[in-house]
C-alpha cells in the first residue's frame, strides 16, 4: 500500500482551519450583525461584502489544500483522488466568481459551488479498496467506512440543498454543516492512513 507523505497532514489540516477560520473572521468583520445561521458563506465573499478578501482568500486556500490532499492520498483510489481534486479546483472557482453586489443571478458561481459540494461529498464513496492478503487497507478506505463517510457527507449536503430550495431560514447553518464536514473528512482519512503505515499488516 502506497504511503501518505507528511505534507499531506498539512494540506488536509489547512482546509478546515482556513474554511472555518475564514468564515468566522469574515463574519466578525461585517458591519452590524451577520447571521451565520441564515446567511451563506458566499455572502462573505460577495462583491459588496466588507473585507471580502478574507473569505475569498480562504476559499482559494481551501481549494488548493484539497488539491494537495488529493495528491497525497495515495492509498485511496485514483478516481476518488481526481474527484477530491475537482472539488478543490471548483472551490477556488467559487472565489473567482463571487456573488454580484445587491444580489441577482450568478450562474458561474452556482455551477462552481454545485460541482464543489457534490465532488467533496461524493469522493469517499469511491475511495474504498478491496482487501488483499498481506496488505492492510487503511480504515478510511475500507468499504464500510468509506461508504458510511460518503453517506453522511451526502446526507448533510442533501439537508443543505433542501433548505436552499425552499429558501429556508437555516441556509447558512446547513451550508456550514455540509462544507465543514467535507473539509474534515480528508483530514481524518489522511490521519487514519498514516496511522495504518505505522502498524504491522495483519
Amino acid at each position: 500500500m502506497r504511503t501518505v507523505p507528511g505534507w499531506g497532514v498539512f494540506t488536509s489540516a489547512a482546509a478546515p482551519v482556513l474554511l472555518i477560520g475564514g468564515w468566522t473572521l469574515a463574519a466578525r468583520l461585517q458591519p452590524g450583525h451577520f447571521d451565520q445561521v441564515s446567511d451563506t458563506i458566499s455572502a462573505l465573499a460577495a462583491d459588496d461584502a466588507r473585507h471580502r478578501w478574507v473569505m475569498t482568500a480562504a476559499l482559494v486556500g481551501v481549494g488548493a489544500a484539497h488539491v494537495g490532499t488529493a495528491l497525497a492520498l495515495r492509498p485511496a483510489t485514483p478516481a476518488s483522488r481526481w474527484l477530491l481534486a475537482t472539488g478543490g479546483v471548483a472551490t477556488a472557482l467559487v472565489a473567482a466568481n463571487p456573488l454580484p453586489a445587491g444580489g441577482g443571478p450568478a450562474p458561474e458561481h452556482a455551477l462552481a459551488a454545485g460541482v464543489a459540494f457534490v465532488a467533496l461529498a461524493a469522493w469517499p464513496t469511491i475511495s474504498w479498496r478491496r482487501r488483499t492478503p498481506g496488505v492492510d487497507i487503511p480504515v478510511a478506505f475500507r468499504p464500510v467506512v468509506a461508504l458510511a463517510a460518503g453517506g453522511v457527507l451526502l446526507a448533510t449536503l442533501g439537508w443543505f440543498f433542501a433548505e436552499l430550495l425552499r429558501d429556508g431560514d437555516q441556509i447558512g447553518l446547513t451550508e456550514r454543516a455540509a462544507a465543514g464536514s467535507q473539509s474534515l473528512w480528508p483530514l481524518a482519512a489522511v490521519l487514519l492512513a498514516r496511522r495504518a503505515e505505522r502498524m504491522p499488516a495483519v
Side-chain angles (χ1 to χ4, degrees), residues 89-110:
V89 172
T91 299
L93 289 175
V94 170
N97 295 278
L99 294 175
E108 296 88 356
H109 178 89

Side-chain angles (χ1 to χ4, degrees), residues 55-136:
M55 198 66 238
T56 299
L59 288 171
V60 171
V62 170
H66 283 319
V67 172
T69 302
L71 294 172
L73 269 180
R74 297 168 183 168
T77 61
S80 68
R81 295 170 66 194
W82 275 107
L83 199 55
L84 175 58
T86 298
V89 172
T91 299
L93 289 175
V94 170
N97 295 278
L99 294 175
E108 296 88 356
H109 178 89
L111 177 61
V115 171
F117 271 119
V118 172
L120 294 174
W123 78 268
T125 64
I126 58 171
S127 68
W128 60 274
R129 290 184 178 273
R130 296 184 185 278
R131 194 164 187 175
T132 56
V135 177
D136 188 35

Side-chain angles (χ1 to χ4, degrees), residues 133-160:
V135 177
D136 188 35
I137 305 298
V139 172
F141 307 122
R142 294 175 185 172
V144 172
V145 176
L147 292 172
V152 170
L153 295 182
L154 288 168
T156 308
L157 179 59
W159 181 32
F160 165 54

Side-chain angles (χ1 to χ4, degrees), residues 183-202:
S183 72
L184 288 169
W185 179 247
L187 172 60
V190 165
L191 294 178
L192 288 169
R194 286 183 60 81
R195 179 176 179 269
E197 293 167 13
R198 298 191 295 269
M199 299 176 65
V202 293

Side-chain angles (χ1 to χ4, degrees), residues 11 13-24 54-55 57-65:
T11 59
V17 169
L18 288 170
L19 182 64
I20 298 170
W23 81 46
T24 301
V54 174
M55 198 66 238
L59 288 171
V60 171
V62 170

